[in-house]
Amino acid sequence: MKAVIPAAGLGTRFLPATKEQPKEMLPVAEKPVIQYAVEEGLVCSDEVVIVNSRDKKVIENHFASNDKLLTHLKEVGKDAAYDVVKHAGDLNVSYVYQDEALGLGHAVLMAAPKTGDEAFFVMLGDVICPDNDVLPAMKKISDEHNGASVIAVVEVPMEKVDRFGVIAGEDLGDGVWKIDKLVEKPPVDEAPSNKAVLGRYLLSPRVMELLKTTKPGVGGEIQLTDALDAVLAEEEMYALVVRHDQAYDTGTIETWISTNMAMFAKDNGRLPAEDQWA
Ligand code: G1P
């Protein structure tokens, strides 16, 4: 089973930082943000497929071996640094390319030759699930429902729903919903719930088939959410409601900074000092 991470976007919210540097390579604490998603994906899959743009070779270099750096770190006895560099180069990552920015659904479709006729995960690299516990919980729900698709959602204030894909459905208890409708970025007064699509999906192979014929939707883009809504006519689909402390966003400057603070605190057991010189 594969995990697909779309990473071909331009990162315009982070300009000028992302003028040359892909937004996926911005650090969160000590790691580039995309490495969190890759490591999380490999907990439940045998290979992570990054849907890259041909201009972002830096991402591919990060997950390749760097023998010159490794030799140097070994020579100077920096064993801990050697280990983290080696680890990044050993992660099982492959690449496909999205040559036109036609939307998230289109990006996912580029990975079809890799996912074949198996179910697959889609992971939005902007989101970090630091305990790597969301995908296994989604897999469990899917296994309990004959391999149905499962989508992670998070409850957001109603006035923010227009930034997200939103679900409607029936509460089955224990944070599990049976979905009966999905809408991408609905106007606030038309949103069917406050349960927003987070960026972790476990999808049946039928989703790939339907993406081939999904027409552009909101924003003129081929939306993954629209393909999922179409699948609902044929297959059951479930949602897992994720707690706010199970997932962190890095997609805006504000959330990137607060996620850096949270990851630093997780690693060090305290927030950064207010007075750096004290
Ligand atoms: C995408 C998805 C949306 C989801 C969101 C989560 O939108 O299309 O359904 O809720 O990610 O961040 P984007 O943020 O790329 O506009």
Side-chain angles (χ1 to χ4, degrees), residues 224-238:
L224 179 59
T225 305
D226 292 344
L228 299 180
D229 193 54
V231 168
L232 274 174
E234 305 175 20
E235 295 181 357
E236 290 185 350
M237 194 178 294
Y238 295 84

Side-chain angles (χ1 to χ4, degrees), residues 124-146:
L124 302 190
D126 284 352
V127 172
I128 293 176
C129 299
D131 297 323
N132 294 344
D133 56 352
V134 174
L135 300 188
M138 292 164 68
K139 180 81 172 67
K140 184 163 175 278
I141 297 165
S142 177
D143 289 346
E144 287 165 1
H145 294 92
N146 301 315

